[in-house]
Every structure is written in structure tokens, then in C-alpha cells.
Amino acid sequence: MAKVTASATKSLAASPDAVFHFLRSYREGRPRILTGNYSNYRVEAGGVGEGTIIAYHFAAGRRERDYRLTANEGDNRSLTERDELSSFVNEWTVSPGDAGSTVTLKASWDGARGIGGFFERRFAPRALHSIYDEVLAKLEAALASL
């Protein structure tokens, strides 16, 4: 199986610490930046940072899937959210940038085999990039309203 990845990056006026604090707030911050692709979002354990467990239903195009992810904090303002139901991993990285900070949201998973896998590797990253761009735009707006 080939690894499939999709990502989006955005420069924000907020400080890296403010952005990271917002992202690790799974109960209050995170729901404000989710697009219509996410439904039934809930925090099942924790709520802030390390060890938090979140679950949601995600739909894009004709693909739908349930996720249950556990959050882990890394060095230098990073969050890794691993799905317990699949190979899917979300990685949030916040670093200092010219205007304040730079945020990257990257997803990866083990792709399907055969012709289905070919189309998945070809089209899924573009579709997710578009959704992640919207998530990051909502993050920018939410931070500006604080």
C-alpha cells in the first residue's frame, strides 16, 4: 500500500503560542474551525492537548468515514492525532512566521491497492487540500475574533 498525503499551510497574524493554545482546545476551539464535512464531532476523553480523544464523521464527495483520534503533543508546538479505526493520521504544526505564525495541517494514510488506489492517490489529496484550506481560513477568522 502506498502512503497518501494531503496538506495545507497558512500564515496567520497570531502568535505561535496563541495558535497552538487554540488548536489544542478540543472542546471550545476546535469545533469553531470545522467545515461542513465534519459532523457528530465530540470529545470522548480529555479536552485539552495530550491524550484527548475526539470522534467525528467525515464526508467528502462520495466518501464517508467515522474517525476516533487520540491527540499527542510533540516538540515545538505540534499535535498528532492518530485514528484508532484506520491508518489515518492528522498532524498540526505551528511555527513562527513573518506575520506571526505558520500553520500546517497534514493528513496521511495507507492508500488502497489497484485502480481504486490509483484514483485515491490522484484525487483525494486535492479534495482534502481544499477542505484543509477552508479549515485554516476558519482558524484565522476565529483567532481574529478573540
Side-chain angles (χ1 to χ4, degrees):
M1 282 183 237
K3 188 68 79 176
V4 182
T5 61
S7 66
T9 300
K10 186 163 187 65
S11 294
L12 303 174
S15 74
D17 287 336
V19 175
F20 187 67
H21 177 75
F22 185 94
L23 289 173
R24 63 190 300 272
S25 172
Y26 287 93
R27 288 190 190 277
E28 285 146 35
R30 194 61 69 90
R32 296 175 58 191
I33 64 173
L34 299 178
T35 65
N37 304 89
Y38 299 82
S39 61
N40 299 322
Y41 175 87
R42 62 197 177 280
V43 176
E44 294 186 348
V48 178
E50 186 79 23
T52 296
I53 298 173
I54 58 172
Y56 55 82
H57 183 78
F58 184 83
R62 288 184 253 156
R63 300 283 184 173
E64 294 189 29
R65 175 174 226 126
D66 291 319
Y67 291 95
R68 186 171 192 261
L69 301 110
T70 301
N72 292 296
E73 292 187 24
D75 297 333
N76 301 322
R77 297 180 206 94
S78 66
L79 287 168
T80 301
E81 302 162 349
R82 294 188 185 284
D83 185 32
E84 296 176 4
L85 308 172
S86 70
S87 62
F88 182 82
V89 177
N90 253 349
E91 297 174 83
W92 292 86
T93 307
V94 182
S95 57
D98 293 337
S101 60
T102 301
V103 180
T104 299
L105 172 54
K106 178 183 173 186
S108 62
W109 66 96
D110 296 332
R113 296 176 192 229
I115 192 72
F118 170 78
F119 286 107
E120 179 181 29
R121 289 185 302 278
R122 179 108 173 130
F123 297 108
R126 279 190 257 180
L128 274 180
H129 175 81
S130 175
I131 293 166
Y132 288 172
D133 272 346
E134 189 177 344
V135 167
L136 293 176
K138 291 180 81 157
L139 173 61
E140 181 177 42
L143 288 165
S145 71
L146 295 178

